[in-house]
Amino acid sequence: MINAYTLYYTLERLYTSIARHLPGGYALPPLQVVFELTYRCNLKCEMCYQRRQVDQLGARRSDKARELSADEIKRLVRRTPWWSLIVFTGGEPLLRQDALDIIAYTARRRRCHIVTNGVALGVTPETAGVLVEAGVMSVGISLDGDQATHDAIRGVPGTFDRTLRGIQALWSVRNERGRAWPLINVKSVITRANAARLGQIVDLATEAGADFCTFQMQNNSIHLSGLMPNRDISLYTARPDPIEDFDVAALKGELAGLAARQAGRPIVRFIPDLPPADYILHYENRAAPTDYLCQTPWATANISAYGDVFPCLNYAIGNVREKELARLWNNSRFRAFRQALRADGLFPGCIGCCDLRSRHCTRRGVEE
């Protein structure tokens, strides 16, 4: 099976390696545009950065009346470069009643990826049919371990069964109709609750028919997503809260066990794509910003549910209801953000980001 994710990230690195050399913080047109369709959610995930913004900063989690309309989103999609990858996330994007209409419209015009908790796929089986018929490229579905582990992390009893049914429904419809797409990507954030169960998650993904199983580094930042955009770049000079009560020894064992499975099916991936030793450093709270770099602001535009554009961290660039995305993409604020990132290498607040790139040429092993 062609590893579509590897192909995309290789293209992204080539694309941004050119863009990073443009003067004045300018970038080529976005290779990827991420829409946060809504901040509404049907789960209460313990590692959710939007929940932390609500709990620690007093953010208002959901304001349906302010969300971009389907027509506004479709117009924005039409104005993206034809080569752009469009990503829909949330909150839980499938909670929008018009989500399937937006997704189907987009998937027929651009490459399209969706990030979901999978619950709606199992509760409403026709959802899977819409995604398959529209030609969605891939669907990322969260699964964090066995029933007890997953439900504890997601904060709602019964979620594991509904999510698993969702994955299986998508697999069944895709195969019944003889389609290659969407690729099914089981995603799991590595937390203290499941660090000793990574192999189990791969087994569950295999049984459900997933094409990929992706493990993501825990990010404790409260400056992610467009829920609370801010205009103060100095906020990112502080590191996120440390990760506490984490069984690093268990994680080492699981990472070593997964190393032998990365060539199988499902394909095992890690984001960020870093050596195992870097994951250990991260969960020991010893990762150094100077060891990494980032290319994302040269490749990706993020649009909040309310139209605010931000690079990755929630630095306010402007709003698409006031100015075209093409103008915001290389405006003075976005260029200043890129220049600061290039000058400093990485903000301390970037630690844990899924788009980190290692500055080291060699891949370090688990035992180092």
Side-chain angles (χ1 to χ4, degrees), residues 273-295:
D273 181 18
L274 296 172
D278 289 77
Y279 274 75
I280 300 304
L281 287 173
H282 175 70
Y283 286 97
E284 291 177 336
N285 301 300
R286 295 193 297 122
T290 52
D291 285 340
Y292 306 100
L293 54 83
C294 179
Q295 299 175 325

Side-chain angles (χ1 to χ4, degrees), residues 75-136:
R75 177 180 176 275
L76 287 164
V77 168
R78 291 195 300 271
R79 299 197 173 203
T80 60
W82 63 264
W83 60 84
S84 292
L85 170 67
I86 307 299
V87 178
F88 292 116
T89 183
E92 171 47 48
L94 295 180
L95 286 183
R96 279 187 62 139
Q97 293 184 341
D98 54 6
L100 291 180
D101 173 53
I102 293 169
I103 292 166
Y105 179 91
T106 300
R108 294 186 177 106
R109 290 160 176 81
R110 300 288 188 272
R111 289 179 297 278
C112 179
H113 171 67
I114 307 163
V115 180
T116 173
N117 59 41
V119 170
L121 292 172
V123 173
T124 313
E126 56 266 28
T127 300
V130 173
L131 302 183
V132 171
E133 290 301 322
V136 170

Side-chain angles (χ1 to χ4, degrees), residues 173-325:
V173 172
R174 185 187 72 178
N175 287 279
E176 286 169 1
R177 300 184 187 183
R179 305 296 176 82
W181 313 97
L183 298 174
I184 301 171
N185 181 12
V186 164
K187 298 167 66 71
S188 183
V189 177
I190 302 172
T191 69
R192 61 186 177 185
N194 66 5
R197 295 177 171 84
L198 305 189
Q200 179 189 73
I201 293 168
V202 177
D203 291 339
L204 288 166
T206 304
E207 294 169 9
D211 302 292
F212 293 85
C213 184
T214 301
F215 293 101
Q216 184 172 331
M217 186 178 281
Q218 181 178 336
N219 189 338
N220 277 352
S221 174
I222 56 172
H223 298 298
L224 301 174
S225 94
L227 180 61
M228 287 191 70
N230 77 83
R231 301 181 64 85
D232 185 359
I233 204 167
S234 68
L235 291 174
Y236 312 130
T237 59
R239 289 177 66 107
D241 290 340
I243 297 171
E244 299 177 337
D245 302 323
F246 193 92
D247 189 345
V248 174
L251 177 60
K252 283 185 178 182
E254 291 294 301
L255 291 176
L258 291 179
R261 305 178 64 159
Q262 286 182 289
R265 184 185 179 94
I267 294 174
V268 178
R269 301 172 56 246
F270 292 87
I271 54 174
D273 181 18
L274 296 172
D278 289 77
Y279 274 75
I280 300 304
L281 287 173
H282 175 70
Y283 286 97
E284 291 177 336
N285 301 300
R286 295 193 297 122
T290 52
D291 285 340
Y292 306 100
L293 54 83
C294 179
Q295 299 175 325
T296 297
W298 283 266
T300 301
N302 293 276
I303 303 176
S304 82
Y306 312 137
D308 296 302
V309 175
F310 58 103
C312 43
L313 296 167
N314 62 343
Y315 185 61
I317 299 299
N319 192 288
V320 293
R321 284 172 166 153
E322 299 169 358
K323 290 185 179 179
E324 294 288 337
L325 176 61

Side-chain angles (χ1 to χ4, degrees), residues 52-82:
R52 285 198 294 274
Q53 290 179 32
V54 172
D55 294 340
Q56 298 181 35
L57 302 178
R60 181 179 178 183
R61 180 63 186 262
S62 178
D63 190 348
K64 185 178 178 181
R66 292 176 56 203
E67 291 176 358
L68 293 173
S69 69
D71 287 342
E72 287 176 310
I73 294 169
K74 291 175 182 179
R75 177 180 176 275
L76 287 164
V77 168
R78 291 195 300 271
R79 299 197 173 203
T80 60
W82 63 264

